[in-house]
Amino acid sequence: MSTTLAAGVSLDFSPAQQLTVIALCALSAFISHMALAVFNDGVRPFLLDFVQGRSTRSATTAVSFGLSAGFIFGLGAPMALSTGVLNPWLLFLPTDILGLLAPKKWLAPILGGAWGAVVVFGLNGANNVAHDLPVDFLTAMQQMSTPILFLFTLFPVLAITKQFGRKWGGIAGFLEFALVVMTMKLWPNMFAGALAMAVGVLMLIGLAVAKDLRQRKADRAEGIVEPVPDGDDPMASLFSASATRLRTYLPLFMVLGAGVCVLAQMHIFGGGEATSFLIAKGQYAEAAQVDFYRVFGFIPLIATTALASGAYGIAGFTLVYPIGYLMPNPYLAALAGAAVFALEVLALSSIGKVLGKLPSVRDSSEHLRGAITDTLQLAILFGSLMAANAMGGGLGILVVGGLYLLNEAMGRPIVRMAAAPAAVIVGGILLNVLYWLDLFTPIKS
């Protein structure tokens, strides 16, 4: 399986694609303004204070900007420019901020739509300018695809090791390695990690469910009875009120789900780092698999924060991503997206109750998210250094690696995941300046 992209990826969108992006950005900003949903999981818990009047709009906007800016400029923009595929950090984190920032309800969709227009009309110009530079750092950034795709395959192994120990981790690691080798040998056109990830995630879920069932059986044998929730329990009341609030706006969420699913169906959008490269190469089934496995790491987080804050996720449980990739046309994608969001919102309370009875499954989602972050941090750093080498050899590695280390030493003003791609862009600009000063000769590809 080739993991390289064609040089000079395109960000030239059709009118229908442009309108979809602009409309979806306008809608997501409007929903953010109403504190009904945001994309950034870290912002969602702060919305309860805002909804209940204990925090101001400006203070909540400042929190959203602080938690999102690094991902927008350090990860979202570089990934879009290097793959030619849009991503949620570039589209939905800015609309979180713009929606919360808008003082009036009517202004929020205007600001969101304006950001969508900047993306669809401005990115291609920036892309063309960057590719015409003597040091083409965007083409060099495509070097990130191989480490991201292959190292990401290991996230179930890390999660199993952290939750169930070295023995099970070793078994999972050997099994995944064997499946990757087998896939590369027998099905060379298939993403090598697809089967391995499927088996790894199923193994993790199976171990977690088995542990919970054994614990419940042991509790029954010892006569331990599950506590009956108190009708005056403040958390139960809060969860119920939040679920009721979200169900009140069900038609709006259905429109949002339809829009996100249609955007995914157009194949100009990828829900994650690995997915963006797979979409760029036309491997939509593999992209759907990757994003489907990620869902298991985020359902408990999104469900519990939604029930605690009364604000949902802009992409819901992200199930609309893989469904959208596989839909044959935008009309079916819109129907499927609306139906999925309706089911998710209506099932929130039930999901919260089920998760309360499966502590090991909840723990598995925590370990999955942590493992996804660990694998991607290493993969993005390694891929960024490969890009640095491609565009500037040792000097490129010195600049990009030095900027990354400086960010670490300064206490990470840019979040770790986004620091390395941001360093590649800054390093690429610096190498072009050195070329114009006749102090650097670009490496011939």
Side-chain angles (χ1 to χ4, degrees):
M1 181 198 72
S2 170
T3 56
T4 56
L5 307 179
V9 295
S10 174
L11 280 158
D12 190 13
F13 304 109
S14 70
Q17 292 168 343
Q18 291 169 348
L19 286 173
T20 300
V21 172
I22 292 170
L24 186 56
C25 286
L27 177 61
S28 58
F30 178 73
I31 289 174
S32 170
H33 172 87
M34 297 177 68
L36 286 172
V38 288
F39 181 77
N40 193 321
D41 295 321
V43 174
R44 201 171 301 117
F46 291 92
L47 292 183
L48 181 63
D49 285 342
F50 173 65
V51 169
Q52 295 183 348
R54 294 192 298 268
S55 179
T56 64
R57 183 171 291 280
S58 59
T60 310
T61 303
V63 169
S64 180
F65 181 83
L67 292 174
S68 303
F71 285 103
I72 297 168
F73 301 109
L75 190 61
M79 287 295 293
L81 289 168
S82 60
T83 62
V85 175
L86 302 177
N87 57 69
W89 307 287
L90 183 64
L91 294 184
F92 302 141
L93 290 181
T95 57
D96 282 359
I97 298 167
L98 293 170
L100 289 169
L101 176 68
K104 300 293 184 182
K105 188 180 292 188
W106 58 266
L107 183 58
I110 293 175
L111 292 176
W115 174 253
V118 168
V119 169
V120 293
F121 295 117
L123 270 186
N124 200 41
N127 185 58
N128 293 335
V129 169
H131 283 304
D132 289 336
L133 293 172
V135 180
D136 184 354
F137 53 87
L138 293 186
T139 297
M141 287 184 74
Q142 293 172 13
Q143 296 285 330
M144 293 196 301
S145 65
T146 300
I148 285 176
L149 289 173
F150 278 89
L151 287 176
F152 185 73
T153 301
L154 293 173
F155 78 86
V157 177
L158 269 63
I160 289 170
T161 305
K162 289 181 178 180
Q163 187 171 5
F164 296 103
R166 287 177 289 184
K167 184 186 81 170
W168 281 112
I171 293 170
F174 175 79
L175 191 58
E176 283 212 6
F177 175 75
L179 289 170
V180 168
V181 173
M182 184 181 75
T183 303
M184 294 177 75
K185 182 69 176 176
L186 299 178
W187 306 290
N189 294 324
M190 177 179 170
F191 169 44
L195 184 58
M197 277 192 289
V199 171
V201 170
L202 288 173
M203 186 174 173
L204 174 67
I205 294 171
L207 288 168
V209 171
K211 183 179 178 181
D212 282 335
L213 292 177
R214 285 196 304 270
Q215 185 60 52
R216 294 185 71 181
K217 184 177 180 181
D219 289 345
R220 285 197 297 269
E222 295 176 13
I224 299 174
V225 180
E226 292 184 10
V228 178
D230 184 355
D232 296 325
D233 181 4
M235 285 305 294
S237 299
L238 174 62
F239 279 21
S240 176
S242 296
T244 302
R245 177 176 188 256
L246 294 175
R247 285 197 296 269
T248 302
Y249 293 94
L250 186 62
L252 191 59
F253 281 116
M254 292 175 69
V255 174
L256 177 63
V260 176
C261 202
V262 167
L263 184 65
Q265 189 277 332
M266 289 178 164
H267 300 146
I268 59 168
F269 173 90
E273 299 87 349
T275 318
S276 293
F277 285 107
L278 289 169
I279 292 290
K281 291 183 292 172
Q283 295 181 308
Y284 308 129
E286 287 87 345
Q289 281 184 278
V290 169
D291 272 354
F292 179 71
Y293 304 144
R294 288 176 67 121
V295 169
F296 294 105
F298 288 90
I299 284 180
L301 172 69
I302 293 168
T304 52
T305 55
L307 289 169
S309 67
Y312 200 40
I314 288 293
F317 292 147
T318 70
L319 272 170
V320 286
Y321 295 163
I323 290 170
Y325 303 149
L326 300 176
M327 283 289 122
N329 62 64
Y331 306 106
L332 283 176
L335 291 174
V340 167
F341 256 51
L343 290 172
E344 289 180 6
V345 172
L346 292 173
L348 266 178
S349 292
S350 299
I351 291 170
K353 291 174 184 176
V354 170
L355 289 172
K357 298 177 181 179
L358 297 171
S360 294
V361 174
R362 289 202 312 273
D363 291 345
S364 292
S365 75
E366 298 274 352
H367 289 298
L368 272 177
R369 290 200 310 277
I372 287 170
T373 300
D374 289 344
T375 53
L376 287 175
Q377 280 178 351
L378 177 61
I380 290 171
L381 174 59
F382 188 68
S384 296
L385 290 174
M386 290 173 63
N389 183 62
M391 70 184 183
L395 182 60
I397 291 174
L398 171 69
V399 172
V400 172
L403 288 171
Y404 179 86
L405 292 172
L406 182 61
N407 184 68
E408 289 285 306
M410 294 170 64
R412 297 192 203 117
I414 299 176
V415 290
R416 183 177 280 168
M417 184 112 43
V424 174
I425 290 183
V426 174
I429 293 170
L430 178 59
L431 290 176
N432 277 293
V433 171
L434 292 176
Y435 168 80
W436 290 321
L437 294 174
D438 201 22
L439 296 174
F440 172 73
T441 302
I443 293 176
K444 300 295 182 184
S445 56

